[in-house]
Amino acid sequence: MPQHPTRRDAPTLSRRQILIGGAGTLASVSLLGLTPLARGQDALPIPDFIKWKRTDALIVHSNKTMETRRGAIGTGVVTPSDILFVRNNLPTPPETIVADRDAWEVAFSGVTAPRSMTLGELKTLGVETVATVLQCSGNGRAFFPHGASGSQWSVGAAGCVIWTGVPMREVIRALGGPESGAQYLTSTGGEELPEGLDEKSVVVERSVPLDAMEQALLAYEMNGEPLPLTHGGPLRMVIPGYYGVNNVKYVKHVALTRTQSDAKIQASGYRVRPVGEKGAPKQPSMWAMNVKSWITGPLDTAPAGRNLIHGVAFGGTESLHGVEVSLDNGENWRAAPFIGPDLGPFAWRPFVLAADLSAGEYRMVSRATDAKGNSQPRERPDNERGYGHNGWEDHGVTVTVS
């Protein structure tokens, strides 16, 4: 089996260290650890809409994409909002849309009694809270050798979030149920679209199989607080177990449809296709997430003796069965117990393995298995856009023990 070049994550650096560290500091940081600076670009400015976040815990890829540093994830069951990654397809709407949250209006169609409802009205229909992994489809793209286009995410385009909102199934029930023949739940974002472009080429509109409606939420709170504008406030569609692109921000229209949306982001975007091929509607869409895990510490060095090797694992739409850790790149495996509370099938589970390590170099990898017996493969699923990477080998870390 071919071996792939070893990739290391950078040590966690404070923002002050990054700014004053000089050339020596920058040269020591891996491409995956600090992408913009390590590639010789100027330090990217922190956009206003994320200045409330802990920027020392984020890698800024662009003005719309920020990745959580691997070391910042640690052993947390829930990812704090101020270190959660950011991925926006369009410019963030103005703060005015969250000035009166309950006045936000959503149009519903494809139901027996179509109508528009304000968030205030929706809140009277029911409330649920669910913990889910929010993950970008391209999380792990940086490991693909063919140079897939898009943000070069390592592992930090993911987090575990607690959402509170209105159950979508209750909304549809209140509107008389689906129209005959409905097969998809289609959500449209409320961002302002650039002028002079075909609306369908830029609008964020995603369709998912209708059965996802049973778990879907119209979420207005995140981690116990009003949903930030940065992450889709005042209202966001949340599809537990599905990749982030399906969790449409600033949701303005929800339709039950016979066919998938013809918007570019659905018709040809976020499609799994062979390297070199263009996107097309017949290719698999980035819907349900697959089983995945990675180590969050130690990442680079460790002292000889007793060490706790920790990480996170999740099953996508399935609950987890277990996770294993190898210290020799998959030659030998040991079961790693979960730690912390189980927040349900869509959440991630932190794990830890206690190991006595002597001096030397270790290639540490993890491999999760879901309740249906699906385990992470060794290698990545090669595809044009670098989607759905859950191969365990690339996600490992090389740790020097001394």
Side-chain angles (χ1 to χ4, degrees):
M1 183 174 295
Q3 298 296 307
H4 306 298
T6 298
R7 310 296 278 276
R8 294 193 185 194
D9 270 52
T12 302
L13 299 176
S14 70
R15 190 161 185 260
R16 184 171 182 272
Q17 285 174 307
I18 292 170
L19 292 175
I20 69 174
T25 299
L26 298 184
S28 69
V29 178
S30 74
L31 288 177
L32 295 183
L34 190 56
T35 300
L37 297 183
R39 290 182 174 176
Q41 300 175 11
D42 293 333
L44 296 178
I46 305 299
D48 287 341
F49 77 101
I50 67 154
K51 283 187 175 177
W52 59 275
K53 286 182 175 281
R54 280 182 47 203
T55 52
D56 62 315
L58 296 171
I59 302 164
V60 182
H61 290 289
S62 75
N63 63 359
K64 297 195 290 290
T65 54
M66 299 90 196
E67 173 176 0
T68 307
R69 293 185 181 278
R70 188 191 287 233
I73 296 171
T75 56
V77 179
V78 175
T79 305
S81 301
D82 61 359
I83 70 168
L84 182 66
F85 82 101
V86 176
R87 168 69 174 103
N88 288 343
N89 284 284
L90 289 171
T92 304
E95 289 280 350
T96 53
I97 72 169
V98 293
D100 183 359
R101 292 170 177 270
D102 282 353
W104 182 259
E105 199 167 83
V106 184
F108 297 92
S109 61
V111 291
T112 301
R115 56 168 293 200
S116 293
M117 300 178 75
T118 65
L119 176 51
E121 292 175 297
L122 288 167
K123 287 179 178 178
T124 68
L125 301 181
V127 59
E128 284 184 1
T129 294
V130 62
T132 76
V133 171
L134 180 68
Q135 180 183 214
C136 180
S137 303
N139 197 29
R141 178 180 288 131
F143 299 116
F144 284 79
H146 70 279
S149 63
S151 294
Q152 296 302 298
W153 309 112
S154 174
V155 299
C160 190
V161 179
I162 296 179
W163 307 98
T164 296
V166 185
M168 194 64 228
R169 62 181 182 279
E170 296 299 332
V171 178
I172 300 305
R173 184 177 292 116
L175 297 176
E179 285 186 335
S180 177
Q183 296 187 55
Y184 298 96
L185 172 65
T186 299
S187 308
T188 309
E191 298 99 332
E192 183 176 343
L193 303 182
E195 294 183 3
L197 297 176
D198 175 11
E199 176 180 318
K200 290 294 184 178
S201 71
V202 291
V203 67
V204 178
E205 184 172 87
R206 288 289 294 177
S207 301
V208 298
L210 190 60
D211 58 8
M213 182 181 72
E214 293 302 311
Q215 286 78 41
L217 281 186
L218 289 171
Y220 52 81
E221 287 185 3
M222 185 178 86
N223 290 344
E225 297 182 342
L227 181 61
L229 179 71
T230 307
H231 292 289
L235 195 65
R236 178 175 189 166
M237 178 66 74
V238 170
I239 311 291
Y242 279 57
Y243 284 101
V245 67
N246 304 290
N247 295 247
V248 174
K249 303 181 186 76
Y250 323 108
V251 63
K252 223 19 183 164
H253 185 203
V254 177
L256 304 188
T257 57
R258 293 172 179 265
T259 59
Q260 296 179 34
S261 170
D262 61 353
K264 181 179 179 180
I265 197 172
Q266 178 79 32
S268 60
Y270 292 88
R271 298 283 175 172
V272 182
R273 56 193 192 266
V275 175
E277 287 193 13
K278 294 183 177 181
K282 291 186 178 180
Q283 297 158 345
S285 189
M286 292 303 294
W287 284 335
M289 294 187 292
N290 47 24
V291 62
K292 190 170 182 177
S293 70
W294 59 85
I295 289 169
T296 58
L299 299 180
D300 192 32
T301 61
R306 192 72 159 175
N307 279 270
L308 297 181
I309 302 159
H310 52 82
V312 292
F314 54 93
T317 55
E318 304 294 334
S319 58
L320 282 172
H321 171 71
V323 64
E324 303 164 286
V325 169
S326 171
L327 307 180
D328 52 14
N329 203 41
E331 294 299 317
N332 298 280
W333 295 94
R334 294 169 58 185
F338 293 127
I339 56 175
D342 182 352
L343 298 184
F346 307 115
W348 70 25
R349 300 295 308 275
F351 61 86
V352 65
L353 175 70
D356 293 312
L357 304 178
S358 56
E361 188 174 81
Y362 295 80
R363 182 63 179 173
M364 299 180 181
V365 293
S366 61
R367 179 176 66 185
T369 301
D370 68 24
K372 289 189 174 180
N374 300 304
S375 293
Q376 290 178 253
R378 180 168 192 150
E379 297 186 330
R380 74 189 76 77
D382 279 327
N383 62 90
E384 172 63 23
R385 292 306 308 278
Y387 289 147
H389 191 344
N390 72 332
W392 56 256
E393 187 171 48
D394 282 347
H395 284 82
V397 294
T398 301
V399 177
T400 301
V401 174
S402 58

